[in-house]
Structure formats: C-alpha cells, structure tokens
Amino acid sequence: GVFLLVLGLYLLSRFAAIQSFPIYFAGDEAVTAMRAADLVRDGFRDYDGRFLPTFFLNDGKLSLGTTVYLQLIPNTLIGQQVWATRGINALVCLLGVYFFGLILRDIFKARWWPLGALLFAGLPAWFLFTRTAYETALMVSFYTAALYAYLRYRQGSPRWLYAAVGFAALAFYTYVPGQVIVTASAALLAGLDFRHHWQNGRTVLRALGLVGLAALPFLRYLIVNAGQYPLYLSLYRSTVTADLTPWQRLLSF
C-alpha cells in the first residue's frame, strides 16, 4: 500500500501543471513531437525515405530514437499539446521509480524500501527531467528496469534475462550516451558473471538471439551512415572518442 502511494505521489507531482513547469518548452522537447508527426505524415519514413528509421535528426545529429516512437501515442490520440508531449515521458519514467523500488525490495531486501523509492522520485534533477520531453530520464528508467531484470536472472530466475535484453535495447536506442553505458554494462556483466552464464547456457543463447535482433536497426544505421558514428560520440564528448591515453580514458569513464 505504501509503495502504491509513492507511485501515486510521483504521478501527481509530475502531471500537476506539467505544461507550465519547467517554464520553458525547449526546441529539444518540441522536436520529438514534430518528428513523430512528420513520421506519420510521410508514411513512417524519414526525410530520406527510409522506412521506420533507427534515429531521427535533432540539431543536425541523428540522435533521437525511442522518444520519437513514444510520441506517436499522444500525437495519434491527442495531438500536439505541451502537456501530452511531456506527459508520455513522465508516465513511462514511472518505470524508473517502480523498478528502483523493486530492486530495494527483491534484491537488497531493504526494510524501508518504499521510502527509498520515494527519495528517488523526489530527487531534484529527476523531478525536473521527468517533467520534460528530454531523453535522459527515459534512458535512466529503461536502464533501471533492465538492471532489475538482470538481477532477478542473477538470483536464479533465468527468464528475466529476456526482459533485461528488451529494456536494455530501449535504453540503448533512447539516448546516445546510453549506447555507451548499455554496451559497457553488458561487457562487464558478461565477464563478472561468466560462471552463472555458463550454467544457464540455453537461456543465454536465446538471449543472444534477442540481442542480435535488437542490434539490426543499429547495424542498418551504421551501414547507411558509415563513418559518422564516431563524430556523433565526439559531439557528446564521449570518453570513447576523447583524445586521452587508454588509462585516462578508463579513469574518466
């Protein structure tokens, strides 16, 4: 009951006057709704005629992904309204609070786990970004869901690995920095938990098949935009492409 109250408080604090605060409605918020509207108008093709594109243009960069497809929901049902554009993000970001609470309850067995979820929901930066149409909070929410699913798999529920792959893919396609975070996390967990993966070989093989399917849109993007991906990472000042020694890059990352 307390956890439901926490989730209710989250929704109330996000949707109350969501069109009025933050007091600005930035171009980076509006562009996701505009790209969704253009996608429907053009028969689900981008400006170059590609069907169901992997990423969409934002300020000269192909960086928008999952957020644009999410905007299809309010665009179709409600139209282009500030509260709806922000609201779909706020609603999906409920996943972040929900799965963070479950991590505290099911994994760490914390006694006061609903209060942990409440503190997470009330973080100032989280409060601000979950009331916008930016990608950052969405990526964090999907990543949190993926982390919970992976931890359930690690605790002896193999089928949760499939959910972990699905949520990780959503995080990957939501935000460019998320691509580095998800890839690095997968590499680290593959090594740290190698023995557990070996013991669940069949499940891991099926999960790798899902990874392969999830990677197809990104592979298409790399083929079509050969050579541009490092440039995009450098624009985000990624440690992967920074002019650093390997040791400096590792420390920075």
Side-chain angles (χ1 to χ4, degrees):
V2 176
F3 191 40
L4 290 177
L5 178 61
V6 169
L7 299 179
L9 287 173
Y10 165 86
L11 291 174
L12 179 63
S13 65
R14 269 38 176 197
F15 280 92
I18 194 173
Q19 73 280 2
S20 302
F21 181 83
I23 59 174
Y24 55 82
F25 184 63
D28 283 344
E29 295 183 81
V31 70
T32 57
M34 296 302 297
R35 293 291 181 262
D38 291 348
L39 186 66
V40 174
R41 181 198 64 195
D42 298 334
F44 294 93
R45 297 181 182 274
D46 65 8
Y47 302 140
D48 294 320
R50 299 186 188 94
F51 184 65
L52 296 179
T54 306
F55 298 114
F56 300 83
L57 279 172
N58 180 24
D59 193 24
K61 303 185 294 293
L62 289 168
S63 59
L64 299 176
T66 308
T67 47
V68 173
Y69 287 104
L70 280 177
Q71 288 297 331
L72 292 174
I73 300 173
N75 182 78
T76 302
L77 299 178
I78 300 168
Q80 293 180 340
Q81 301 288 334
V82 172
W83 71 267
T85 299
R86 287 176 166 177
I88 188 66
N89 275 29
L91 186 61
V92 175
C93 285
L94 179 67
L95 290 173
V97 179
Y98 176 74
F99 282 108
F100 184 76
L102 293 191
I103 288 173
L104 295 178
R105 185 192 70 181
D106 298 339
I107 308 303
F108 293 102
K109 312 297 182 183
R111 182 178 181 183
W112 301 103
W113 61 272
L115 294 182
L118 180 62
L119 288 173
F120 178 69
L123 288 171
W126 188 251
F127 174 76
L128 175 66
F129 279 100
T130 51
R131 289 177 62 96
T132 70
Y134 294 138
E135 311 100 305
T136 313
L138 276 174
M139 187 276 290
V140 173
S141 297
F142 290 135
Y143 183 80
T144 304
L147 185 59
Y148 172 75
Y150 180 83
L151 291 171
R152 288 295 306 272
Y153 154 76
R154 189 63 182 82
Q155 282 196 334
S157 300
R159 292 184 179 180
W160 275 97
L161 185 60
Y162 308 139
V165 171
F167 282 122
L170 288 172
F172 182 94
Y173 287 112
T174 296
Y175 191 41
V176 173
Q179 296 167 16
V180 178
I181 293 170
V182 169
T183 303
S185 298
L188 287 171
L189 294 174
L192 292 172
D193 294 331
F194 178 79
R195 181 178 298 178
H196 188 78
H197 301 321
W198 184 263
Q199 294 170 349
N200 294 273
R202 290 185 179 181
T203 300
V204 171
L205 285 176
R206 296 190 190 101
L208 288 175
L210 291 178
V211 171
L213 289 175
L216 290 178
F218 188 68
L219 291 176
R220 180 182 70 165
Y221 159 77
L222 290 179
I223 293 170
V224 173
N225 301 278
Q228 294 188 29
Y229 189 66
L231 174 61
Y232 292 146
L233 288 180
S234 66
L235 290 174
Y236 280 91
R237 299 181 180 180
S238 172
T239 56
V240 175
T241 56
D243 185 18
L244 302 170
T245 66
W247 178 244
Q248 289 173 327
R249 183 176 290 111
L250 179 62
L251 290 177
S252 178
F253 185 76

